[in-house]
Amino acid sequence: WKYPDLNWRSTDMKKAVKVIIRGYHGRGFGAALIKALPYRRICHVSLVFYFNDGSAWEYESIQGKGVVNHAPTTGKKFEAYAPDLSPAQVEQAHREAKGITGPYDWRAIFGFVLPGMKPSEKAWICSEFVAYIMAKIGRRLSKREPFMETPTFVCDSNEAGPRNTMYEELNAA
């Protein structure tokens, strides 16, 4: 017998059946830095999990907050990518995403423009978070460790899946 986990969330009792990688077109100060780089179409990425009861939950690393999860963002322009994952991979990705905590990694953001600045091992940027989760389920998006790629690289990876516009209706305010 195991003691119950007192920190469970409402998503613990649901089964994740689909995951979408969202690529946003601009958010905050970090977005301004990323737009200064080549391949800058996407400024932020997140994972949205869809559950067997029809609900959805978004996991991301946000500047000023670190790793958070919440109802899917609406009213912002994004592209949606649908990786081709087995049901077991979707469930594993959800378990991995639920288990990650940590602050936002400003060192990693500045490392994109200041080559000597190394990312923190205890903090996350959005693309690092998404690439790490995908690597944990056998779908490596990034070629480097830590997963220091831009959000655009994450979305353009063959493993991210095809751009899928059928989810754009979630973008309505």
Side-chain angles (χ1 to χ4, degrees):
W1 185 79
K2 181 180 171 189
Y3 288 102
D5 180 6
L6 300 178
N7 294 320
W8 67 278
R9 299 180 200 138
S10 62
T11 58
D12 286 347
M13 304 308 242
K14 302 174 186 179
K15 182 177 181 181
V17 294
K18 183 179 293 184
V19 64
I20 298 296
I21 298 172
R22 280 190 179 185
Y24 290 94
H25 287 261
R27 285 176 88 150
F29 179 71
L33 286 175
I34 290 171
K35 285 187 176 188
L37 300 171
Y39 312 109
R40 59 185 186 249
R41 182 181 86 255
I42 304 294
C43 295
H44 179 73
V45 290
S46 69
L47 295 171
V48 177
F49 290 92
Y50 295 86
F51 298 95
N52 57 343
D53 68 352
S55 65
W57 212 240
E58 186 168 11
Y59 290 76
E60 60 189 333
S61 183
I62 302 176
Q63 62 191 26
K65 295 182 181 179
V67 177
V68 297
N69 58 71
H70 52 83
T73 302
T74 60
K76 299 209 182 255
K77 186 177 179 184
F78 66 86
E79 297 175 12
Y81 295 83
D84 183 23
L85 304 176
S86 71
Q89 286 175 309
V90 172
E91 274 292 299
Q92 182 185 358
H94 183 240
R95 281 192 307 275
E96 296 289 347
K98 287 190 313 184
I100 293 178
T101 61
Y104 192 74
D105 192 358
W106 283 106
R107 292 177 57 84
I109 290 293
F110 289 117
F112 281 122
V113 292
L114 302 170
M117 178 112 14
K118 300 292 183 203
S120 169
E121 293 181 12
K122 297 178 182 178
W124 301 88
I125 59 172
C126 62
S127 53
E128 201 176 24
F129 175 75
V130 170
Y132 177 79
I133 298 296
M134 294 297 286
K136 291 293 277 185
I137 64 168
R139 294 299 183 92
R140 197 166 174 84
L141 302 179
S142 179
K143 296 176 184 173
R144 297 187 281 177
E145 293 220 21
F147 303 102
M148 289 302 304
E149 303 293 355
T150 66
T152 298
F153 179 87
V154 167
C155 291
D156 287 348
S157 167
N158 289 335
E159 294 294 333
R163 183 168 187 271
N164 192 333
T165 57
M166 66 185 280
Y167 295 100
E168 294 287 346
E169 72 271 8
L170 294 175
N171 205 20

